[in-house]
Amino acid sequence: MQDILPRVPLLDLTRPQLASLLAGWGQPRYRSDQVWDWLYRQLATDPAEMTNLPKELRARLAAETRLELLALIHEQRSNDGRTVKWLFQLHDGLTIETVLMSYPPDEGPGQGETVLMSYPSDEGPGQGRRTVCISTQAGCAMGCVFCATGQAGLARNLTAGEIVAQTLAAERWLAGEAQNDEQGGGGESQAAAHAPRPAPAARRLTNVVVMGMGEPLANYERTWQALAALTDRDGFNLGARHITISTVGLPHGIQRMAAEPLQVNLAVSLHAPNDALRGQLAPINNRYPLAEVLAAVRDYIARTNRRVTFEYALMEGINDTPALARELAVLLRGMLCHVNLIPLNPVAESPYQPSGPERSSAFQAILERNGIPTTMRMRRGVEIDAGCGQLRRRHA
Ligand code: SAH
Ligand code: SF4
């Protein structure tokens, strides 16, 4: 049913915007801090839960705002239970994907099938990591030939709230799992449903990677607004260093990132060491050739002193030869960087295939011998179509 007045999506508001909305309603200043806390710390999904607000305010929030921005339409879990992928529907019927990956404590970076992002983090040993991979656009305009998202084109940018909501959904899911464990896996009893809400436990999600559907630097403001909300100390309180943005390589966006106060990590999808090959795989390279991308990255490193990750999806017979590995090593020599090798996630009806283990290891060895640090990210969740845009494609 169509509302008469469009309801304000609360998660689309910055903290100052929320404050001015409530100030406009004649509410004292501290009310907006309380609402912010309910949204980002207590993960409320309904104003009725906001029990420290006056009844009339709860009623007005219920009538004039919206909390839920995503409708779950499909969930897929890997056999080992460590990867969960969701297909969410937006209010206009478009769909996006979000993936949650859990890494047990003994799987340090560089071992086993672990590494999505191999940054050392301050969770300390014994904690494990829980990383959510979020989307920033419904579709993508960049048209990379090996990417399921790229094949369908761009439908629209996500709003900041839609980006934030994916992260909150993952945190709620983790909280639900933890509660199930405590209750011995039993379902929610009537008594539990009416029990007072427990105080919010420490946040369970440890990392956010902006590597789902879409090109984040082509939806720059909204992506950044979402990250500002997620890192707010009075709310979700995620550390900026636990966030990684992956870009196809838009030089202006990389330059803007270098000037941001929020110190998030940068990953650049390279996939080839020269313009001829990269232009075939990632057509945006024809507009922003490698020299421009790498100049922006060098400048970023000089200004931030942060190590940049280059992603390289290994495709059998396409970009995985020893000659290309040597060319890549020359290209990146001396840079404060790190190459993340990922055997391609095969996409249905695509001619591109993942490199086998021998070719992948040989490629990696050449980079290492030439002083380029690498990690090999093994295919995680292939069985559940966890590659970018693959679940949506299967579902369509
Ligand atoms: N648009 C951004 C972020 C989303 S894609 C970017 O391109 O970086 C996230 C990563 O998944 C990118 O490195 C992208 O190249 C990679 N990717 C896309 N399709 C893939 C596939 N089929 N197999 C492996 N990696 C893939
Ligand atoms: Fe877009 Fe990234 Fe896919 Fe390329 S790889 S089409 S930039 S989502």
Side-chain angles (χ1 to χ4, degrees):
M1 224 176 59
Q2 193 71 42
D3 292 318
I4 300 165
L5 275 174
R7 292 200 276 159
V8 181
L10 285 185
L11 295 177
D12 276 343
L13 304 182
T14 61
R15 210 171 156 184
Q17 286 169 340
L18 177 66
S20 74
L21 176 79
L22 294 184
W25 292 1
Q27 293 292 329
R29 168 84 223 194
Y30 65 91
R31 290 288 178 220
S32 87
D33 293 338
Q34 288 176 316
V35 174
W36 187 262
D37 184 88
W38 278 109
L39 295 176
Y40 289 95
R41 233 163 54 85
Q42 320 227 35
L43 311 173
T45 53
D46 186 331
E49 294 171 43
M50 304 180 181
T51 44
N52 57 353
L53 304 184
K55 242 198 188 116
E56 309 74 59
L57 177 55
R58 275 183 268 161
R60 185 158 189 191
L61 285 168
E64 296 182 29
T65 71
R66 271 186 303 137
L67 264 66
E68 291 288 17
L69 300 181
L70 308 174
L72 180 65
I73 54 176
H74 191 73
E75 176 176 288
Q76 241 177 314
R77 240 172 134 146
S78 64
N79 292 338
D80 65 8
R82 289 201 222 143
T83 306
V84 196
K85 179 159 188 164
W86 297 295
L87 189 66
F88 289 118
Q89 189 163 50
L90 311 175
H91 68 89
D92 53 3
L94 294 168
T95 53
I96 54 159
E97 299 177 2
T98 305
V99 185
L100 174 66
M101 292 152 286
S102 301
Y103 306 93
D106 52 334
E107 277 188 21
Q111 292 169 260
E113 53 156 18
T114 57
V115 180
L116 186 61
M117 269 300 122
S118 60
Y119 292 94
S121 57
D122 49 25
E123 286 99 53
Q127 298 298 306
R129 283 178 300 139
R130 288 155 301 279
T131 300
V132 68
C133 175
I134 58 175
S135 297
T136 51
Q137 298 182 309
C140 183
M142 301 297 149
C144 301
V145 296
F146 51 86
C147 170
T149 303
Q151 299 318 297
L154 176 66
R156 69 165 168 87
N157 283 328
L158 298 190
T159 67
E162 287 163 342
I163 299 169
V164 158
Q166 298 168 63
T167 312
L168 301 186
E171 180 63 27
R172 274 190 206 105
W173 189 91
L174 288 167
E177 287 284 286
Q179 208 169 32
N180 271 349
D181 287 349
E182 280 159 26
Q183 290 168 2
E188 192 171 81
S189 68
Q190 196 63 6
H194 292 280
R197 209 187 163 80
R203 191 172 28 70
R204 292 176 173 83
L205 211 54
T206 59
N207 297 74
V208 170
V209 293
V210 187
M211 290 190 184
M213 297 169 63
E215 168 50 44
L217 300 189
N219 187 16
Y220 193 97
E221 266 88 16
R222 295 178 192 88
T223 298
W224 228 264
Q225 183 187 322
L227 299 182
L230 292 170
T231 50
D232 185 280
R233 282 174 197 277
D234 298 325
F236 200 70
N237 194 22
L238 185 74
R241 287 165 196 276
H242 293 219
I243 298 174
T244 299
I245 288 190
S246 173
T247 174
V248 70
L250 304 184
H252 307 297
I254 294 170
Q255 280 156 6
R256 265 181 96 173
M257 265 185 82
E260 293 286 349
L262 212 57
Q263 310 229 322
V264 309
N265 301 300
L266 169 65
V268 177
S269 301
L270 210 55
H271 308 313
N274 59 59
D275 285 323
L277 180 57
R278 194 165 187 268
Q280 285 170 29
L281 299 174
I284 192 67
N285 191 80
N286 299 321
R287 186 132 121 234
Y288 302 114
L290 268 175
E292 280 182 41
V293 177
L294 292 181
V297 172
R298 284 202 176 84
D299 183 53
Y300 173 94
I301 295 169
R303 286 162 74 180
T304 63
N305 203 27
R306 289 203 294 274
R307 184 180 296 271
V308 168
T309 295
F310 290 107
E311 291 164 278
Y312 199 103
L314 287 162
M315 305 172 215
E316 178 95 15
I318 305 282
N319 65 353
D320 65 348
T321 63
L324 289 169
R326 285 189 289 272
E327 198 177 343
L328 181 61
V330 171
L331 189 72
L332 302 182
R333 185 164 292 160
M335 266 172 111
L336 181 63
C337 74
H338 159 268
V339 175
N340 202 4
L341 298 163
I342 320 132
L344 187 80
N345 238 312
V347 173
E349 294 144 48
S350 154
Y352 301 96
Q353 291 300 317
S355 305
E358 275 169 34
R359 287 178 79 98
S360 302
S361 301
F363 195 94
Q364 182 176 26
I366 292 170
L367 293 180
E368 291 278 344
R369 262 205 311 278
N370 285 279
I372 311 286
T374 66
T375 42
M376 181 85 80
R377 189 211 292 176
M378 297 318 276
R379 288 188 279 141
R380 185 88 199 253
V382 171
E383 63 189 285
I384 62 162
D385 305 314
C388 182
Q390 293 180 17
L391 178 61
R392 185 177 73 141
R393 208 171 131 107
R394 151 105 58 111
H395 216 75

